[in-house]
Amino acid sequence: SLEDERDGKKKNFQYQGGIASFVEHLNRNKQVVHTPPVYFEATRDGVVVEIAMQWNDGYNENVFSFANNINTHDGGTHLSGFKGALTRSLNSFAQASNLLKDVGEIQGDDTREGLCAVVSVKVPNPQFEGQTKGKLGNSEVKGIVESLVNERFSAFLEERPQDAKRIAQKVIDAARGREAARKARDLT
């Protein structure tokens, strides 16, 4: 809430559905792969983790990370934990579903193509790197985020097979495109 005491104007900035609504807002002009966004929130060892993500038909990665409501635009341990677990979960699902016949293995960039996500953590004693607080440095946060994403996102993939197949297909198409680009580079 912002209030200008000079003229009495008040302005509230709030998404009713939290970060899941924020992700929907970011994807408002795009064709989404699944709806509603994947959302989960959990607390472990005093660290609150809240994540919302949704894939769209675009090719750009749009991931925002926050630590104690501070935008960590350079990422940090919470973002690296998220990315690692996301790649691992989608690889496991695709292998279990026999979807990786002609692709091999999915890489991190493949999983984040067309992804719009918000990763927010609340840490009791945050350690930021740099003067601008652009990067979170708490090493324990990486493991917490990683285990939660592995657990919760894998459960989402099992509980929502139609959405899971669409997400996996989007990721596999990205991997095929990467391989085709590599082969074209090799030929030239």
Side-chain angles (χ1 to χ4, degrees):
S1 296
L2 294 176
E3 182 178 351
D4 188 342
E5 292 179 349
R6 298 171 298 181
D7 57 12
K9 286 186 183 176
K10 289 183 180 182
K11 184 75 176 165
N12 290 322
F13 296 92
Q14 177 184 3
Y15 282 97
Q16 288 297 345
I19 63 172
S21 290
F22 183 45
V23 167
E24 286 177 332
H25 171 74
L26 293 170
N27 276 333
R28 69 189 175 280
N29 295 329
K30 298 176 178 89
Q31 184 70 38
V32 294
V33 174
H34 61 95
T35 170
V38 179
Y39 172 80
F40 50 87
E41 179 181 6
T43 304
R44 272 207 189 136
D45 301 331
V47 177
V48 179
V49 179
E50 190 178 6
I51 296 175
M53 56 186 158
Q54 186 177 41
W55 279 263
N56 60 53
D57 63 351
Y59 302 104
N60 296 331
E61 172 185 343
N62 206 5
V63 179
F64 297 97
S65 62
F66 298 89
N68 293 4
N69 293 331
I70 297 170
N71 185 359
T72 51
H73 47 81
D74 295 332
T77 55
H78 56 317
L79 192 58
S80 59
F82 168 73
K83 288 178 177 181
L86 183 69
T87 303
R88 198 172 307 107
S89 297
L90 282 167
N91 248 325
S92 298
F93 174 78
Q95 284 176 341
S97 302
N98 273 341
L99 299 172
L100 296 176
K101 297 173 192 108
D102 57 338
V103 178
E105 194 171 83
I106 297 169
Q107 293 182 358
D109 289 341
D110 303 330
T111 62
R112 295 187 306 272
E113 185 176 290
L115 173 66
C116 182
V118 176
V119 179
S120 175
V121 295
K122 292 184 178 58
V123 186
N125 298 310
Q127 297 167 350
F128 293 101
E129 294 176 15
Q131 197 72 27
T132 59
K133 297 184 177 180
K135 191 171 189 178
L136 182 67
N138 295 57
S139 57
E140 71 277 6
V141 174
K142 180 180 180 184
I144 293 170
V145 171
E146 227 169 359
S147 66
L148 280 170
V149 171
N150 273 332
E151 187 180 297
R152 301 287 175 92
F153 187 55
S154 296
F156 170 84
L157 294 172
E158 288 176 23
E159 292 166 7
R160 313 256 322 255
Q162 298 296 77
D163 290 342
K165 285 247 172 25
R166 285 195 291 274
I167 292 168
Q169 197 55 54
K170 168 79 176 153
V171 170
I172 289 167
D173 289 347
R176 282 193 186 113
R178 177 181 43 79
E179 274 300 306
R182 186 190 58 77
K183 287 178 183 174
R185 267 194 316 277
D186 290 349
L187 286 174
T188 57

